[in-house]
Amino acid sequence: MALQDRMRDVEQRIQEACRRSGRRREDVNVVAVTKYVSAATAANAVSQGIRHIGENRWPDSEEKWRLLHGQAVFHFIGSLQTRKVKDVVGRFDYIHSLDRLPLAEEIQKRAAALDIVVPCFLQVNVSGEASKHGMRPEELDDLAAALRGLDRIRPVGLMTMAPLASEAEETRPVFRRLRQLRDQMNAKRAFPAPLTELSMGMSGDFEVAIEEGATWVRLGSILVGKEEEA
Ligand SMILES: *Cc1c(COP(=O)(O)O)cnc(C)c1O
């Protein structure tokens, strides 16, 4: 399928999920995950109106970033090692994978050196799968408290990855739990400003995520496709 057809198809499914759940279309943002495709394909997507690009490794995204930053907003969605923070801060507009204090401290240090503030999602491993990155829900309070001292990090929301499921519907409890966690944190005034965002939902489960409150869905294969030699 051509990119334009995929974009139209995804857009229709997003609108239907919004309608089913009484949500406004403009409250759901799409990050096009380009990690499986070439810089040329990513550039084509941007020229067709894609505004947000998601990547999970700096070396693989460098060419795309050099070509497209300024034209698209860049989201770092992969697990982030502390020693790789220098590659990401100052380049990516959002980090979706903040999940521990040492990482936050390194982001703070780099952002301070560049005199910028980095909007971050806190990644939570809701499902408890050992293979998933992210903190345990019980760790959120402590990280929230520590972040109060890190003025270069702006917590904007929570992020999660649902376990691979044969049926999208099986992911619903994970997404619902993430929304509840966000609402609980906000009720406790855990952050200087309420968290407004939920980054959840991928190609296989984005409609369920939207029904459960996702404000950012991260779509790779279904939207920009997959290429053998990216
Ligand atoms: C690869 C990836 C995606 C997109 O995956 P698809 O299933 O192809 O949509 C979304 N989020 C994260 C964190 C990823 O690593």
Side-chain angles (χ1 to χ4, degrees), residues 103-123:
L103 178 59
E105 288 169 340
E106 187 65 19
I107 294 170
Q108 164 79 17
K109 196 171 94 187
R110 292 282 165 183
L114 296 171
D115 195 19
I116 60 172
V117 172
V118 186
C120 292
F121 292 80
L122 277 53
Q123 184 173 354

Side-chain angles (χ1 to χ4, degrees), residues 33 35-36 56 77-78 159 161 201-204 218-222 226:
V33 177
K35 68 186 186 198
Y36 309 119
N56 64 346
I77 62 169
M159 180 275 217
M161 287 177 80
M202 305 176 20
S203 289
R218 308 178 308 267
L219 304 179
S221 39
I222 204 174
K226 252 182 181 171

Side-chain angles (χ1 to χ4, degrees), residues 6 17 27-28 36 38 43 48 64 91 186 207 216 223 225:
R6 282 204 224 95
D27 291 340
V28 180
Y36 309 119
S38 67
Q48 305 282 333
K64 292 162 198 159
R91 293 193 176 115
N186 287 343
E207 290 150 298
W216 295 88
L223 183 60

Side-chain angles (χ1 to χ4, degrees), residues 19 32-33 45-46 57 72 83 85 103 120 133-134 142 150 155 173 191 225:
R19 208 172 303 129
V33 177
V46 171
R57 292 189 62 225
R83 65 192 166 82
V85 165
L103 178 59
C120 292
H133 290 275
D142 282 350
L150 304 181
F191 298 95

Side-chain angles (χ1 to χ4, degrees), residues 89-137:
V89 170
R91 293 193 176 115
F92 285 78
D93 302 283
Y94 290 85
I95 295 175
H96 286 238
S97 46
L98 174 54
D99 62 358
R100 57 197 192 278
L101 185 55
L103 178 59
E105 288 169 340
E106 187 65 19
I107 294 170
Q108 164 79 17
K109 196 171 94 187
R110 292 282 165 183
L114 296 171
D115 195 19
I116 60 172
V117 172
V118 186
C120 292
F121 292 80
L122 277 53
Q123 184 173 354
V124 185
N125 182 354
V126 173
S127 67
E129 270 190 310
S131 62
K132 293 274 182 290
H133 290 275
M135 75 194 98
R136 288 178 290 122

